[in-house]
Amino acid sequence: MSLRRLHPAWVVAAVAFVALVGAAGFRATPSVLLHPLHEEFGWPLATISVAVSVNLLLFGLTAPFAAALMDRFGIRRVVAAALTLVAAGSGLTVFMRTSAELILCWGVLVGLGTGSMALAFVATVTGRWFVHRRGLVTGVLTAGGAAGQLVFLPLLANLVEAYGWRTAALVVAGSALAVVPLVVWLLRDHPADLGLPPYGATEVVPAPPRTGGAASRAVRALRTAARTPAFWLLAGGFAICGASTNGLVGTHFIPAAHDHGMTETTAAGLLALVGLFDIAGTVASGWLTDRFDSRVLLAVYYALRGASLLVLPSLFADSLRPNMLVFVIFYGLDWIATVPPTVALCREYFGADAAVVFGWVFAAHQVGAAIAATGAGLVRDQLGNYDLAWYAAGALCAVAAVFSILLRRRPGRTTEPAAPAAPLAGRSEAAAAPAG
């Protein structure tokens, strides 16, 4: 028996995963650096949180334009440039002296770079290279961000403690930069560039002609999508998703645990454990998305997340206890499990513009994250604790669950397009994968 030839789609997916891990490194650092920056420069936590908010906001707002730029210039060029920008922003922070420089480096440069490799990048890769296994691959690539958090957070926390925050920032810069040669070497734009069909299809799909006007296309897609109730329900739910994950827990979990006497390295380890279980949860969510109604999945995910956040304030303590571990496992499984069904629903409602429209939905996610990052910092400065922020996020998740239930199935559309029919004779084994 001869070995089956590996379809290049899996190579592209693997390189995309590594790129996402590299970009995730700096996004994992805000919660580790909040207190070191506060202690060295004397900046209030709310001021530092503004830089985090700018980062999160640009991370989202860049996504739809990046998706359009990938259509114009190709995935490889955009991703290589984005990783270089992340490395520059992270490395330049070691020279900063004012909070404005923090906002420029940490907020603007890194926000633009990571935004160019946000979840719209995932939607673009899976939309071009996969027909079958699309939901599963979406889950795996989405988990790349969590894997980056898993790899970097404990390392960064220990680097900060042993050598200072500047060393941690340089390590992140070097890691992001090291991925660039791999992207240039192996990442490809379309299966047709290699004369192959997408994975699971039987016919080569010609690459669409590259046209100018990436910005105008992104705006045009938004204008069209904004006329539909589905867009606002998806964007509203995803805004709450961002507020309850990156904006609140991702940014403020470590400072909140520190307020209760837990060491930052222990809290960072817990947040990394969230990332570990998120990988399992998001991959499982992709598998479920290939099989079940995405609306139901979203409603369940948001409801369970809200319930976990409502009990979190009672779980903080000066040492690690079993009930906190239960929260970490439960919350981690649900962290970004919402992404695969949301991407699938964008394909169902918006067709060929799905990747760009999802970029706008993801922008709403980051707007919610930015508001929560700054808002939670203000709550902590004014009230002395984060309790109100946790309770508010839990209540908002219930609203997101309702939004998901209100989404209506679009007649005549499915979340996964079928592969073109063809006789089995002559089909390449690389293309003839079984349905998800």
Side-chain angles (χ1 to χ4, degrees), residues 249-289:
V249 175
T251 303
H252 292 284
F253 179 85
I254 292 178
H258 186 268
D259 286 345
H260 289 80
M262 184 179 291
T263 65
E264 291 189 353
T265 52
T266 300
L270 286 174
L271 204 54
L273 195 59
V274 168
L276 174 63
F277 283 97
D278 169 60
I279 296 172
T282 307
V283 172
S285 178
W287 184 86
L288 291 170
T289 299

Side-chain angles (χ1 to χ4, degrees), residues 163-246:
Y163 303 105
W165 66 267
R166 289 178 175 81
T167 299
L170 290 174
V171 167
V172 172
S175 300
L177 197 59
V179 182
V180 174
L182 187 65
V183 168
V184 174
W185 178 34
L186 294 175
L187 200 59
R188 293 293 181 268
D189 294 324
H190 293 276
D193 295 343
L194 302 177
L196 294 172
Y199 180 78
T202 58
E203 298 178 0
V204 176
V205 179
R210 293 180 178 179
T211 59
S216 62
R217 188 196 169 199
V219 173
R220 185 169 59 251
L222 173 63
R223 188 164 50 242
T224 301
R227 299 191 184 107
T228 67
F231 173 79
W232 294 107
L233 291 171
L234 287 169
F238 227 43
I240 294 171
C241 179
S244 57
T245 53
N246 303 71

Side-chain angles (χ1 to χ4, degrees), residues 318-332:
D318 58 357
S319 60
L320 180 58
R321 297 180 181 178
N323 54 6
M324 178 59 83
L325 280 176
V326 172
F327 166 82
V328 165
I329 294 171
F330 185 84
Y331 184 83

